[in-house]
Every structure is written in structure tokens, then in C-alpha cells.
Amino acid sequence: MSVLPPEVHSALGQLLQGLQSPDNNVRANAEEQLNNEWIVARADVLLMGLVEQIQGASEAGPRSFAAVLFRRIATKTRKVPGSEESKDLFTTLQQPHKEAIRQKLLESLQNERLPHVRHKIGDAVAEVARQYCDQGHTWAELLHGLFVLSQSQDAGQRELAFRIFATTPAIIEKQHEDSVVPAFTKGFQDSDIEVRTAAMEAFSSFFSSLQKKAQKKYYPLVPELLNILPPLKERSDTEGLTKAFIALIELAEEAPIMFKPLFHNLVQFSITVIQDKELGDTVRQNALELMGTFADYSPAMCKKDPSFASDMVTQCLSLMTDVGMDDDDATEWNNTDDLEAEESNMNHVAGEQCMDRLANKLGGQTILPPTFTWLPQMMISNSWRDRHAALMAISAISEGCRELMEGELDKVLDLVIPALRFHHPRVRWAGCNALGQMSTDFAGTMQEKYHQVVLTNIIPVLDSPEPRIQSHAAAALVNFCEEAEKATLEPYLDQLLGHLMRLLQSPKRYVQEQALSTIATIADSAETAFGKYYGNLMPLLFGVLREEQSKEYRLLRAKAMECATLIALAVGKERMGQDAIDLVQLLGSIQAKIIDADDPQSSYLLHCWGRMCRVLGSDFVPYLSGVMPPLLELAGAKADIQLLDDEEQIQSVQQEEGWELVPLKGKVIGIKTSTLEDKHMAIELVVVYARELEAAFAPYVLEIMEKVSLPGLAFFFHDPVRIASAKSVPMLLNAYKRAHGERSPAMARLWESTVDKVLEVLSAEPAIDTLAEMYQCFYESVEILGKDCLTPAHMLAFVESAKSTLEDYQIRVKKREEDQQEIEDGEDESDETAFAIEDDQTLLSDMNKAFHTIFKNQETSFLPAWSRLLPFYDAFATSNDSTQRQWALCILDDVLEFCGDQSWSYQNHIQKPLVDGMRDPVPANRQASCYGVGIAAQKGGAAWSTFVTESLSILFAACQLPNAREDDHVFATENACASIAKILQSPHTRIPNPQEVIRHWITTLPVVNDEEAAPYAYMYLTKLIEESNPTVIMAADKAFIAVALAIEAEAIQGQTAQRAVAAAKKVVQQSGNDANRLLGTFSPETQQTLRGYFA
């Protein structure tokens, strides 16, 4: 029964007809009427009218359209009456209206007989349910209604119940969880295959919505779940199999271990699907993706399976041969100029990507044996596709198998190099690709050991008759040359540049563009050695830049700008002479003529200006007035964000480049990422100018700080913008300080407006890796401002932010510990967890540097605020986590170093951590503790004398550990040695047997690695020799050798080295030894170096 009068339904019917009209004008008018007369003025009537249309319209079309429109309108956002809060439109209706509409929707859902209309109604119901769930409310009648549908004799209704569960799993309340297992079990066993598939999708959605601990109770459902697969394959139901595999992929991401008992069966089934060409590419690739997902999320389980690696490698290689089927001689491939053609949905690309994942996740020991079972025979196959696949496989696995392949590169190159001479162009292209990828993945080794093999074979490929091969060979050279040292490239520069300059005459524009990029890379690596070719190349580039060209040549000119400015960086201002000024003026002329927003020259120009600033230094200042306005426009850009209400808007935005779509509570947010990327790049260039020009950049500092950098710290739409902004703040402060002076009123005003914003973001930044950058921004800024730049309020605000950060950190650590307990034996730590731990370690490190900088500049004035964090230091100092112990120890060292005798007030918090730390098995913690004891002796005052004296035995023990001189431990050992020297020198210590201690101390020398510890040790040794200490004279040989080793290692330099050498010569003479005999124990090369000091 309708609750609305007939005239309302009549008006609504006309509106619906207008919205579906093929006439654009009629449809536009109807949209305007919908928005102004219905949504704004009477949304409740509109939604009620639509639901009554769904319920009562005689034709299927109006019912279906009304359901679609209902869902679209219900999700629109509007302000709650009498409030500034915005909510989904449906939730803003009066309660009686909402209840009436809900009831009618459920009735329509249960009564509709046409499947396609029923699905549209189901989508509307799911949307309303989603809104209730998001607000923490319940819709009890819906659960009952879905239960009724799930028991229906009509398979379509049973399927619909699971479809709605899949869309909004949160409607299954906790009190109903006991009925979930029977409901899904029944669904998995349903007589209708489509119901079973829908139940599978619903289960995946429901399972993913659960907390990890709650998921385990559903593991027993896996056998019934997997039983759905074989019938789908037997029926060649590609749509059903696709849905099933997607559901399994989601489950594998959530809890791969739940499949462990039946994993081998699932692997075997998936392999049969991948092999079955009759099923179509989409299903086969979905099966491949499922196996790749298991490799990503449970590599240990995949390694343990007896056939996983060999079967997957075989299938990947097979898919990779599915290339160029309609273009056997590569005529079409050769003739296309579209090198970026979309191929991501093709089998050969899917195979390559999966090989890459397998190698990275399972490692070389698992992947290399089955791969190289196939590759040698594929590389001599008569089929070009086999050779192409083998080469692309080498490209795909080299990163993940780096450790094992690096020692066998000569054998791998023996396979690859002949491909550069093969008759089929796609094999030669793949050979170039393999060499380029290997040059990156084995960077250093490829360039140092195999430069002759690589370059002498790939340079001739630049003369290939096919432009695509020429271009790809040049691209591979970019990878090789950007990792090569100047000395490695010099012998080949004539050949390289001769061939590349010929490519600049190619009729194919993309070949010219790539040649320019390669020349630019070579210039960047060859540096001053490139000067020989400057006279031939730069006039060509000037010619390209001066020539007026049509739109299609814009990228070529942009590449020429890039190449010219990189050459400028390589050869320097002196070599360029007047050309440097001419190039800058030419860039300015090009910039003035750019009018189109999509002109690629714009973004290239920004980087070119940055390079020329580095080339010209202060001579660049006159050009800033032309460079800065477009840069500041980009740097100050606002986020372009749109709320997309319907599918039409979403599709429109999807067709545009540079947009990212983010689902959010049933809606889609469109973010124009191209604008954000340009903003990020512009702020990075601000950093370049401020760093290079310093005081000369000061006129721009205030505007940039106010309008770009400080707002950028809280630009939460784009992490890179926040990071670049954080890097810019200290650079801008430094530029302003250079111009106005550290203590000037102008500097004080800028700091006052800056420091509060920087402190504010320390407690607001949500991303852990970006938060570390914010702490770095803070401590670098404080370092620039110097002594006493922070007020007590600033220091208190910093401590409060640090407290919040540490509390959040402790929560994350506890969560990881709980998750670790859930991991099955043999399972590896996930990459996500490893990255999270690494981010936290970086954060703690940057926080440490911030504390260090504050103590350094504020000294004891920081203690009142700092002491609020003592409970954290106490907890961290005794933690089982070595990173936390190190964090605490380093800050305690700062208290000792910068707070003098006031540090004794905290001795109850400092002494035990230092004692335990000197015995810590982790060398970094031992180093921090040994250093701390030395600092206590040096700067802590008389109160610390007893403690440091009693610590001598522990310091000696640290020097005598079996592994004390190994690379990982030597810094801790050398710090212990230096600290003993500090204790012996301290005027406050009373050591009962000093000569005995000195005798033992000499045995802890040399100090040759730690350049901070070495001067303390050797200046004390020098002092003892100058005082003719008898114990040192008795150990003259040892003392002399210790000094010589420090000189050889350059651990001591300048006056310290001169005094130490003089003392060493003196002690040898005093003891009657022969210095030449002692020097003779060194290698001839080292002797020559040392004799320059000891002559």
C-alpha cells in the first residue's frame, strides 16, 4: 500500500522517464529537477517514492532503474539539520521514514522474481545496511529477511542472500556468529552452483572483516570451500571459476595457513587450470595469481610443498611463450611507434610478473634449480618464443636470486649474449632487456667485472636495422652506465657516443628521445671525462632547443633540455663558459612559450633549472625571478579532490590520466595525483635552490615558508609532499640565517612562526616513516638555530609529542608480539611486519637524534621536561628488544655528556643500564654503554668517580671478548679502550693501582676504526709518553705499533697524528728499540706511507 499520494508518483514517474531519456537536454533538465526539487527539498519523499516504485511498478525497467537511483541518492552526503556534521543522506531521515523505507525494501527483496531486478534491489539493501553498520547501529529485520531468503526454494533468492552478505559482512553481528558456520556450510553444499559460488564470495568477505584471533574457528570450513572448485572446472564455468579464485585470493592474503592441510591439492588443481587453454586467459591468470599470492604471504608453505616451485616455474615459462601469436615475424611489432602499448592482461606478462614474485619471495635456492632445468634448452630452441621467454625469465628472477646468481654471472651471460645476434628481433630485444635488468640487479659486479663482455656486445646492437631494437639497446645502456664508475666508462666513450650520435639522426622520434636519455646518463656517470665530447654534442642540443617544432616534438625537446643540463653538470661552469649563460637564457625562452597544461617540457624544465643552479651557483641568482613564479605556483597547489556519487562520474574520472580512486564508506573519492606529484617535485626543487644559493635565496623564504612548507607538513593527501616539506624547512631557515644572522630579530620572528608548526605536526603525523622525517626536520632546524633556541614551552611540547609517539610505538610492538604468537612454526615473518619494524627503528633513531640535538643546545634547561619520560627510559633499558635498549642508552649518554654534574640526580636510572649494557651481547648497545661510562668520567664530575672506577673491570672484559676485534664488535671494543683512557685521565678518579691499569690498557690498543674514540686514546698515550711513564716505556713496541696502525688507517689526523708520531718515536728511543725494525713488520706499501710520518 502506497503512503504517497498519486500526484507525487505521477511527478516521480515523469522524472524517472526524463532521467532515462536519450535526449541530452531532457536528461540534463531532469537531473537539475532531481537535485533542486527533490534531493534538496524533499529527500524523504523521493526515497519513499523510489522504494514504492521498486515495489509497485508493473514493468521491470522502472523497478530496476528506481533501485539503482535509490542507491545513488541514499549515498549522497548532506548536512544533518541543525548541525555542521555531514552524513549519508538516508541516515539523516526521520526515524519513522527510515523504518518504513527499510520495510518496503525488504518486502521488495523477498517478492521480486526477476534476477537482474532482484540484484539491483539487493545492492540498494546492502547500501542501507552498510550505512547502519558504519554508524554502529543494527538492522535486525534484515538478518531475519536474509535468513528467510537463504532457506528459499528459489536458488536466485538463496544466491541473493549471500550476495548481500558479501557486500556488507558487518551485518552479521557477534551474537549471530554461532549460526555462521552452519549457514556457510549449507551454502557451500547448495545444489545450485551459483549459490555455492556466492556463498564462497560472502565467506571471503566475512572472513576478511574478522579480527585475526576470531578467524581460526572458521578454518574447518576450508574442505567444503575447496570442494566447490572441481564442478566449476568440469562445467567450464569460467565466470564462476573467476569469482571463486578471486575469493580464494582474498582468503590467502588474510590467512594462507588455513589452507595448509589441503595446500598440495589446491596447488595441483590450480596447475590444471593454468594448463587448460580452453578455460580462457582470465581464469588461468586468476589461478596463477592465487599461487603467486601464496608465495607472497606464505613462502615457507610454498617451499615445503613438493611440487609447487617446479610446477609454477614450468607454467610461468609456458605462459611466457604465449607472445606474438598473430605476428610471428614481428612485422606489426616492429612497425608500431606505441612502445607503451597496454599488455598487462596478456599471458606472457602475467608469467613474467609471477616469476619475479616467486624469485623474490622463495629465493634462489628454491627457484633457480627448476628454472635452469628449462632455460638452457629453451635458449637453443628453434622457436623464437622459447628463447624470448628464457631471456625474459632471466630478467624476472635476477633481483630475487641475486645472491646465488652473482657468482655465476659469467655462465648467465654466456646464455644471454648470443641472443643479441639472433635473427628474430624480439629475441634481440629480450636480450637487451636481460642485460639492462642484470645491470641494475647486479649493479657493481656487472660494471666492474663484465664491462668488456657487456659493452662490446651491446654497442653494435645500436646499429640494428629495427628502431625498436636500437631504442631498447640504448635503454639497456642507461641501466649499465648509471651504475658504472667514470674509469670503467672512459675506454668506451668514443664507441658509445659515436653510435648514439648516429641515433640522433634516426627518423623515429622515440629513438632520438632514448638516445638523448642515454647520452645524459653517460654524461652524469663520466663527469669531467665527458668534456672531450662537449664540443660535438652541445651545438646539436642547442640546435634542437632553438628550433621551433610542433607538439609531437615536445618530448624530444624536453629530453634535449635534460641532456644538455646533465652535460652541464658533468663538465662544469668553467668548461661551458658562455654556453652556460646561453643555455639558461634559452631555457627561459622555452618556458615563456609554454601555454598548454599538458606540455611535458614544463616538468622537465623545473629539473633543468635545478641543475643549472647547481652549475652556476651564485651566478644563477639573476634568473630566479623568472624561475620562481611557476615553481611557486606548483608548490602551492591545493589538493584536487572530488566526491564521486555515481558510476557515470567514476567512469569519467577513470578515463582521465593522473587520478587515483579511493573507496570510502560506500563512496569513491577521486584524488588528482598528477597535481600532487608536481607539487612534490616543486618543493624538492625549493630544497635545491635553498641549499645551493643559501643567503641569496632569502628573499623567497618567508613566502615559501608561510604558503608552502609549513602547510605542506600537514598535507595529508600525499606523503611525499609532507616529506619534501619537512626537508625544506631546515634549508629555508639556513638560507635566512645566512642572510640575516643567527640572532637577528628577523630570524627570531621566522623561527617563532616555524617552531610551533613543526612541533604541532610531531603529534599529528599518522604515517610512521613520515613521522621520522618530521623529527628529522625538527632536530635539523634546532641545529641551525643553535644554542637556547627553545623555550620551556617548546621543550614541554616536544616531550608531550615524544610521549605520545612512544606510547603508540609500544602499542605497535605489543600487537606484533601477539601476531607473532599466531604464526605457525616454520612460517616466515611477513614483509609487512619486517617493513613496520624497520620504520619503527628509523623513527626511534631520528627521535634519538632530536633528543641529542636538544640536549646539545639546551643542556640542563631540558632536564625538567625530559624527566617526564623517565618511565619510558626505565622500561626500554630493561627491554628484551635490543633496539629499545639502545634507544634508552643513547639518550642516557646525552644526559651525561651535556648536563655535567646535574646528571648525578638521575644516577638511579643510569647506572644499572650502563653496567648491563657493557655486558650486552649486542655490540651497538655495548658501544653506547662503554661510551657512556667514559663520558661520565670525562664530564659527569666527582659524583661519578666511584662508579666509573668500579666499571674498569667490565670495560677490560669488553675488550677481551673472543670476537672483540671482529667487524661487528670492534667499535664497541675501541669505545671501551677510549673510555678507560678517559677514566685514567679524570681528575676525580682515585685508582689504587694506576700503573697496573695502564699496563692492561695498552693491551687494548690499537684504535683504528672509530675516528671519534681514537683521538682520546692516542692523546692519552701521547701524554703518558711525554711524561716518560715507565709502564709505557716498557711496552714501547706495542705503543709504537698502535700509533703506526692508527696512522695507516687514518683514524687520527692533523695535530693529533703529529703529536702521536712524535711521541711514538720518542718512546722507541727511550726504550732503546729500532723504529725501522718495527716499521719493517708492515707491508712495503704501508711502510712507504708510514715513513713519510716517521722519517
Side-chain angles (χ1 to χ4, degrees):
M1 177 180 173
S2 173
V3 299
L4 298 177
E7 58 269 22
V8 172
H9 274 296
S10 175
L12 188 57
Q14 291 177 6
L15 175 68
L16 296 180
Q17 286 182 351
L19 291 171
Q20 297 176 86
S21 172
D23 187 314
N24 289 339
N25 291 328
V26 173
R27 198 166 62 253
N29 289 334
E31 284 283 355
E32 184 177 354
Q33 184 184 2
L34 172 67
N35 289 322
N36 296 333
E37 298 179 17
W38 292 89
I39 295 175
V40 174
R42 42 181 181 168
D44 52 350
V45 174
L46 172 61
L47 289 178
M48 180 61 77
L50 288 172
V51 82
E52 290 192 348
Q53 287 282 329
I54 296 170
Q55 196 174 34
S58 58
E59 298 293 327
R63 296 201 305 276
S64 178
F65 183 69
V68 171
L69 188 59
F70 178 94
R71 181 172 179 272
R72 173 184 154 193
I73 302 302
T75 61
K76 282 187 175 293
T77 303
R78 76 168 181 178
K79 287 184 178 178
V80 179
S83 166
E84 288 300 310
E85 184 183 7
S86 293
K87 290 186 176 182
D88 292 314
L89 190 147
F90 179 81
T91 63
T92 66
L93 302 182
Q94 296 294 319
Q95 188 63 25
H97 293 157
K98 287 191 288 191
E99 291 177 358
I101 291 170
R102 283 177 1 198
Q103 183 60 34
K104 287 181 178 292
L105 271 178
L106 281 181
E107 291 171 0
S108 302
L109 191 68
Q110 292 168 345
N111 295 331
E112 179 60 56
R113 290 289 173 260
L114 295 177
H116 72 281
V117 179
R118 191 161 54 211
H119 285 170
K120 295 289 188 297
I121 300 171
D123 292 340
V125 168
E127 173 54 35
V128 172
R130 194 269 310 163
Q131 294 184 23
Y132 272 89
C133 291
D134 286 350
Q135 292 194 345
H137 299 152
T138 59
W139 182 2
E141 300 89 348
L142 176 60
L143 274 174
H144 175 73
L146 293 180
F147 178 78
V148 170
L149 287 177
S150 70
Q151 306 299 314
S152 170
Q153 296 298 310
D154 183 342
Q157 289 191 331
R158 299 199 300 276
E159 180 199 4
L160 181 61
F162 285 112
R163 277 173 54 92
I164 295 174
F165 278 132
T167 307
T168 318
I171 60 178
I172 304 174
E173 302 168 50
K174 286 187 177 179
Q175 59 263 39
H176 297 284
E177 284 184 359
D178 291 342
S179 60
V180 169
V181 171
F184 278 120
T185 301
K186 185 174 182 181
F188 296 158
Q189 297 172 348
D190 198 282
S191 58
D192 187 277
I193 191 66
E194 292 185 5
V195 176
R196 298 204 293 274
T197 308
M200 199 174 189
E201 292 178 293
F203 177 73
S204 172
S205 181
F206 167 72
F207 187 88
S208 300
S209 72
L210 298 172
Q211 296 291 324
K212 289 287 183 186
K213 288 183 178 179
Q215 290 177 345
K216 281 193 171 183
K217 70 169 74 172
Y218 301 102
Y219 285 12
L221 286 173
V222 168
E224 294 290 350
L225 185 77
L226 297 182
N227 282 339
I228 298 170
L229 296 172
L232 290 168
K233 183 174 184 292
E234 289 165 11
R235 294 173 41 165
S236 297
D237 184 349
T238 56
E239 183 180 353
L241 269 175
T242 295
K243 291 178 179 178
F245 276 121
I246 291 173
L248 289 174
I249 290 166
E250 293 170 355
L251 291 169
E253 290 174 351
E254 281 290 325
I257 202 68
M258 71 191 288
F259 294 94
K260 186 175 181 179
L262 293 171
F263 182 62
H264 184 68
N265 297 27
L266 181 55
V267 171
Q268 293 302 299
F269 176 82
S270 299
I271 294 297
T272 64
V273 173
I274 299 169
Q275 289 173 325
D276 193 341
K277 296 181 180 181
E278 299 299 319
L279 287 173
D281 293 347
T282 300
V283 174
R284 297 171 68 201
Q285 290 179 26
N286 282 328
L288 188 77
E289 175 63 26
L290 175 62
M291 295 295 99
T293 302
F294 277 113
D296 288 341
Y297 288 89
S298 187
M301 190 163 72
C302 295
K303 289 178 187 177
K304 290 175 183 176
D305 186 85
S307 64
F308 181 90
S310 59
D311 284 350
M312 282 297 293
V313 166
T314 301
Q315 294 312 311
C316 285
L317 291 172
S318 176
L319 288 169
M320 289 164 68
T321 63
D322 190 0
V323 58
M325 291 301 177
D326 300 324
D327 187 31
D328 191 62
D329 61 358
T331 301
E332 182 181 336
W333 180 85
N334 271 325
N335 292 334
T336 183
D337 287 355
D338 182 10
L339 305 189
E340 304 296 328
E342 180 59 49
E343 292 188 331
S344 61
N345 62 342
M346 295 188 174
N347 283 340
H348 70 94
V349 175
E352 291 164 22
Q353 292 173 344
C354 193
M355 282 290 283
D356 175 69
R357 291 163 71 182
L358 294 175
N360 276 295
K361 295 298 180 180
L362 306 188
Q365 289 197 340
T366 301
I367 292 302
L368 285 177
T371 302
F372 277 86
T373 297
W374 290 102
L375 292 197
Q377 54 187 302
M378 292 176 75
M379 283 304 303
I380 58 173
S381 168
N382 292 326
S383 167
W384 70 263
R385 292 181 180 86
D386 287 349
R387 297 189 184 220
H388 183 277
L391 291 163
M392 296 307 290
I394 291 172
S395 299
I397 67 172
S398 60
E399 179 187 9
C401 301
R402 176 187 170 99
E403 289 186 13
L404 289 181
M405 286 180 69
E406 197 158 25
E408 305 289 334
L409 276 183
D410 51 345
K411 297 175 184 175
V412 178
L413 286 169
D414 286 344
L415 288 175
V416 174
I417 294 297
L420 300 178
R421 298 183 291 273
F422 194 70
H423 66 86
H424 199 284
R426 296 200 69 164
V427 172
R428 276 178 281 137
W429 184 96
C432 294
N433 195 79
L435 286 181
Q437 191 63 50
M438 290 167 67
S439 296
T440 297
D441 294 335
F442 305 107
T445 305
M446 281 281 282
Q447 287 77 5
E448 291 167 17
K449 292 186 177 180
Y450 301 102
H451 54 86
Q452 184 175 13
V453 174
V454 174
L455 292 177
T456 57
N457 281 283
I458 201 168
I459 288 173
V461 183
L462 295 169
D463 289 335
S464 295
E466 303 90 354
R468 287 197 72 168
I469 308 300
Q470 295 172 343
S471 174
H472 209 51
L477 282 167
V478 169
N479 292 32
F480 185 90
C481 294
E482 66 186 0
E483 301 292 345
E485 296 294 329
K486 170 184 169 184
T488 300
L489 287 181
E490 274 195 80
Y492 304 97
L493 288 178
D494 284 350
Q495 292 181 66
L496 279 167
L497 293 167
H499 283 77
L500 289 166
M501 288 178 71
R502 285 198 291 275
L503 292 188
L504 292 177
Q505 312 305 318
S506 169
K508 291 290 187 180
R509 192 169 65 251
Y510 67 79
V511 175
Q512 297 174 28
E513 291 166 359
Q514 182 57 62
L516 286 170
S517 291
T518 307
I519 291 169
T521 302
I522 292 171
D524 195 34
S525 294
E527 298 174 341
T528 53
F530 200 86
K532 173 183 174 183
Y533 309 94
Y534 178 87
N536 291 329
L537 261 171
M538 196 57 92
L540 284 175
L541 298 173
F542 269 83
V544 173
L545 296 178
R546 288 189 173 120
E547 189 175 340
E548 291 293 336
Q549 293 174 329
S550 54
K551 281 188 175 183
E552 61 266 26
Y553 286 91
R554 286 172 173 173
L555 182 59
L556 179 66
R557 189 150 67 165
K559 295 278 188 182
M561 288 190 285
E562 177 185 56
C563 187
T565 52
L566 280 168
I567 290 173
L569 265 182
V571 302
K573 179 169 66 172
E574 300 304 321
R575 175 66 180 85
M576 288 192 76
Q578 181 60 34
D579 281 353
I581 303 301
D582 292 345
L583 179 56
V584 169
Q585 292 174 344
L586 187 52
L587 295 176
S589 172
I590 292 170
Q591 179 171 286
K593 295 176 183 176
I594 292 176
I595 54 175
D596 294 336
D598 63 347
D599 192 330
Q601 294 177 111
S602 296
S603 59
Y604 276 80
L605 258 172
L606 292 174
H607 288 291
C608 291
W609 287 128
R611 293 187 197 106
M612 293 312 296
C613 175
R614 290 162 62 192
V615 172
L616 292 174
S618 59
D619 291 342
F620 187 77
V621 173
Y623 305 100
L624 278 177
S625 59
V627 171
M628 291 306 294
L631 183 71
L632 292 179
E633 184 179 351
L634 283 178
K638 306 296 182 186
D640 189 348
I641 297 172
Q642 295 183 19
L643 177 63
L644 309 176
D645 281 330
D646 55 46
E647 292 297 326
E648 190 175 327
Q649 287 179 307
I650 293 170
Q651 289 175 6
S652 173
V653 169
Q654 280 177 328
Q655 290 170 5
E656 295 183 40
E657 287 188 11
W659 283 84
E660 179 182 352
L661 301 184
V662 180
L664 181 67
K665 292 186 177 180
K667 301 179 179 60
V668 174
I669 305 293
I671 303 174
K672 193 167 187 180
T673 52
S674 57
T675 302
L676 306 184
E677 288 157 5
D678 289 345
K679 181 180 179 76
H680 167 233
M681 176 184 66
I683 299 172
E684 284 193 321
L685 288 168
V686 164
V687 175
V688 172
Y689 293 135
R691 183 181 64 239
E692 296 294 326
L693 302 177
E694 292 192 321
F697 195 67
Y700 300 94
V701 166
L702 293 180
E703 179 185 1
I704 295 172
M705 193 72 91
E706 178 188 353
K707 297 181 178 179
V708 176
S709 295
L710 294 181
L713 295 176
F715 194 83
F716 296 113
F717 304 106
H718 198 56
D719 292 0
V721 166
R722 301 202 300 287
I723 291 171
S725 299
K727 292 186 182 304
S728 72
V729 169
M731 290 293 104
L732 294 171
L733 289 170
N734 183 61
Y736 208 69
K737 182 178 85 169
R738 298 286 183 186
H740 295 276
E742 184 176 307
R743 300 300 174 188
S744 67
M747 190 70 211
R749 287 193 296 272
L750 176 60
W751 177 236
E752 185 179 355
S753 62
T754 300
V755 63
D756 288 338
K757 292 289 185 183
V758 176
L759 285 168
E760 184 181 311
V761 82
L762 293 182
S763 58
E765 174 55 53
I768 306 306
D769 55 342
T770 310
L771 181 57
E773 298 282 353
M774 297 303 165
Y775 274 97
Q776 182 177 343
C777 169
F778 175 77
Y779 72 70
E780 288 181 352
S781 299
V782 171
E783 193 68 69
I784 287 163
L785 269 291
K787 288 286 184 185
D788 299 319
C789 64
L790 298 174
T791 67
H794 292 150
M795 290 184 278
L796 187 59
F798 172 81
V799 164
E800 287 302 312
S801 294
K803 179 173 179 287
S804 173
T805 300
L806 292 172
E807 287 170 346
D808 291 343
Y809 166 76
Q810 288 177 323
I811 291 170
R812 292 194 298 275
V813 169
K814 184 177 180 182
K815 174 71 164 55
R816 284 198 290 267
E817 289 172 351
E818 291 173 353
D819 291 345
Q820 187 67 29
Q821 292 173 4
E822 299 293 318
I823 294 177
E824 299 277 336
D825 289 341
E827 279 298 297
D828 297 329
E829 180 180 78
S830 71
D831 286 347
E832 184 181 353
T833 300
F835 290 141
I837 292 172
E838 186 178 336
D839 285 344
D840 273 332
Q841 290 174 340
T842 302
L843 174 61
L844 289 180
S845 174
D846 281 310
M847 288 182 73
N848 250 336
K849 291 172 186 174
F851 279 99
H852 173 82
T853 304
I854 299 174
F855 270 121
K856 175 184 171 184
N857 288 284
Q858 299 295 141
E859 297 179 344
T860 56
S861 67
F862 184 42
L863 286 173
W866 171 81
S867 61
R868 292 172 175 241
L869 297 176
L870 280 171
F872 290 99
Y873 309 129
D874 293 341
F876 278 38
T878 57
S879 170
N880 292 326
D881 182 350
S882 63
T883 301
Q884 293 184 31
R885 297 199 300 277
Q886 184 183 9
W887 185 84
L889 288 166
C890 288
I891 295 177
L892 296 177
D893 286 353
D894 289 329
V895 175
L896 291 164
E897 183 168 359
F898 299 112
C899 298
D901 55 10
Q902 288 195 36
S903 63
W904 181 252
S905 302
Y906 303 95
Q907 53 95 9
N908 289 334
H909 301 275
I910 296 176
Q911 288 189 5
K912 189 174 188 308
L914 289 185
V915 170
D916 292 343
M918 287 186 285
R919 298 184 175 113
D920 199 307
V922 178
N925 294 348
R926 211 160 57 246
Q927 177 182 344
S929 302
C930 292
Y931 174 82
V933 172
I935 284 294
Q938 187 181 18
K939 299 187 176 183
W944 286 98
S945 61
T946 301
F947 171 75
V948 299
T949 302
E950 291 173 351
S951 297
L952 282 170
S953 61
I954 311 176
L955 290 168
F956 277 115
C959 295
Q960 293 162 1
L961 292 171
N963 54 2
R965 292 289 169 180
E966 291 179 5
D967 288 347
D968 289 342
H969 296 264
V970 70
F971 281 88
T973 303
E974 292 185 348
N975 269 268
C977 170
S979 290
I980 295 169
K982 291 173 186 177
I983 296 169
L984 287 166
Q985 288 186 86
S986 172
H988 305 295
T989 52
R990 296 291 180 266
I991 299 172
N993 51 347
Q995 293 305 314
E996 183 68 13
V997 175
I998 291 170
R999 185 175 68 79
H1000 283 295
W1001 174 72
I1002 293 171
T1003 67
T1004 68
L1005 294 167
V1007 178
V1008 294
N1009 293 277
D1010 194 319
E1011 294 178 6
E1012 291 184 16
Y1016 290 108
Y1018 287 103
M1019 289 312 293
Y1020 180 56
L1021 180 64
T1022 299
K1023 176 175 177 288
L1024 292 173
I1025 294 171
E1026 290 172 350
E1027 294 172 350
S1028 298
N1029 183 281
T1031 303
V1032 179
I1033 294 173
M1034 290 177 64
D1037 288 14
K1038 174 72 175 172
F1040 183 91
I1041 294 294
V1043 172
L1045 288 168
I1047 294 294
E1048 178 196 12
E1050 299 182 352
I1052 52 174
Q1053 298 178 3
Q1055 289 186 355
T1056 302
Q1058 291 172 11
R1059 282 189 62 189
V1061 167
K1065 290 160 66 176
K1066 176 182 177 181
V1067 77
V1068 168
Q1069 291 173 352
Q1070 288 177 327
S1071 66
N1073 281 309
D1074 182 1
N1076 287 323
R1077 178 183 64 79
L1078 296 173
L1079 290 174
T1081 61
F1082 291 90
S1083 69
E1085 184 180 345
T1086 302
Q1087 284 184 50
Q1088 187 175 354
T1089 301
L1090 293 174
R1091 289 186 192 283
Y1093 286 89
F1094 287 94

